[in-house]
Amino acid sequence: MTTHLPPAQEFSHKRALRAGFASFVGTAIEFYDFYVYATAAALVFPALFFPEGDPFLAVLSSFGIYAVGFFARPFGAIVFGHIGDRLGRRLSLMLTLVLMGVGTALVGVLPTYALVGIWAPILLVILRIAQGLAIGGEWGGAVLMSVENAPDKYKGFYGSFPQLGNPMGALLAAGIFSLLTIGGDDFLMNGGWRIPFLLSIVLIGVGFWVRYAVEETPVFQEEAKRWKEEGVKPELPLKIAIKNNWRQMLLAMGLIPISTGGYYIVTTFATSYATDPGISDINMPENTFLNVLSIAALCELISTLFIGALSDRIGRKRTFAIALVGTSLLAIPMFLSLEGDQLWLVFLLFAAVRVVMNGTWAPMASVLSQMFAPDSRQTSLSFSYSLGNAIWAGLSPLVATALYGLTGSIWSVIGMLAAMAALSLVCLAFAPQRKDYIFDPKTVAVPTPDEQTPDVQK
């Protein structure tokens, strides 16, 4: 077995920063679109799209449609992963941005149940599927745009740039709904909820312009060059992913319960738990709890790059593990604080949980991307992440709500979080990490059988 190495390229922080910023802007916009729906699913959609019957069942129905977007993600991962692995990460990112923007803006003009009856939730499902397809292809491409522009020693830091999009999108979504609820629920319920969806049109235009100016990643350019020079016609990325990467993909799915599903438990489920009298008797004002989420998202946003840089220093897997344990422990006082009358403690603990949980999110881009070889990396990464999201994030608010409804105790939800963290720790221990040698081929090491790449010729 001989190892073929690409010629070394000079690393440019300027280019890496430009790619990281483009990834951040795009993911921020797409996550904003996704979280606008998530917030509306908790606050508005049960009454406007499912007005008949038990309020508790209306919330479950709203979260059910919310979950549909997650189950559409794997299909988006296949379609846009193929485009990214064969035509370039850059093209796939521009297409996902447009699809997400159109889907979100159209939600803003949907008629409600009172106007068109059953067609209202049906149309909502269709547009939610469009959102899911877009975000399924978005995250993997954005991650690789950042990670593949950096050498191994900086992958944690630059890989955290697209991760900034999650808290920024959540901050924008929670912030605008907080503003809309200042004067009470009447304005929000009488059409004000449409404003955040329609704003997406402007944001998508900005994101498309930023991404259009970014170069393709050097890792993909090297792969495309090799295919051309060797006359290689590569197999379908999905076929390669299933044949060569199925173990890593299963491990990747098991790595993300807390950073995906846990996140939605402490945001979407917590919103209903804290504010909806049909769910619990806490009955916190919606505006107050949205302010809690806004401050928590801001703290997460500020901490992301620091945690990414820290993961390069102490180890990305070690950072991940510490965060899993910390999140499980802090979730206990966080949920219990909602039952007290110390509002400052609620703000503090929700912010603390989001920062600690960020230790699973900030380094996740680099950890997951380096589990796969470049020839099917976007497909393998996007599909495993999206399918994992469908299971963990798509179902977590629904399962958490059902658990609480069955037991009447928030401890059932806390126990669910702890079990998810335990699974992640096991998968993290077995997750392989490989290196790209674009910037420093002298660091080459012979890959294990599971990590063999197209650069390894038998």
Side-chain angles (χ1 to χ4, degrees), residues 169-183:
L171 179 62
L172 290 173
I176 192 167
F177 270 101
S178 179
L179 290 174
L180 293 173
T181 56
I182 288 176

Side-chain angles (χ1 to χ4, degrees), residues 70-71 73-74 77 249-262 264 364 368 380-396 420 423:
F70 286 96
F71 283 98
R73 284 187 178 194
M249 290 168 69
L250 287 175
L251 287 171
M253 290 167 58
L255 274 172
I256 63 173
I258 289 296
S259 52
T260 57
Y264 288 101
M364 189 172 69
L368 263 62
S380 301
L381 171 65
S382 297
F383 185 75
S384 55
Y385 175 78
S386 297
L387 189 55
N389 254 282
I391 296 169
W392 302 115
L395 295 178
S396 288
M420 291 159 64
L423 174 63

Side-chain angles (χ1 to χ4, degrees), residues 40 45 79 88 105 124 172 202 285 419 438:
F45 290 166
V79 173
L124 194 61
L172 290 173
V202 177
I438 286 293

Side-chain angles (χ1 to χ4, degrees), residues 125-195:
V125 168
I126 293 172
L127 294 178
R128 184 61 175 169
I129 290 173
Q131 282 190 322
L133 292 172
I135 203 78
E138 158 68 23
W139 186 82
V143 161
L144 297 186
M145 182 63 73
S146 291
V147 172
E148 290 185 346
N149 269 292
D152 186 70
K153 65 179 180 179
Y154 295 127
K155 285 188 184 297
F157 174 69
Y158 284 108
S160 63
F161 271 81
Q163 306 303 77
L164 286 168
N166 190 332
M168 177 59 81
L171 179 62
L172 290 173
I176 192 167
F177 270 101
S178 179
L179 290 174
L180 293 173
T181 56
I182 288 176
D185 291 343
D186 288 346
F187 175 73
L188 188 68
M189 301 300 292
N190 292 323
W193 66 271
R194 298 181 184 277
I195 295 174

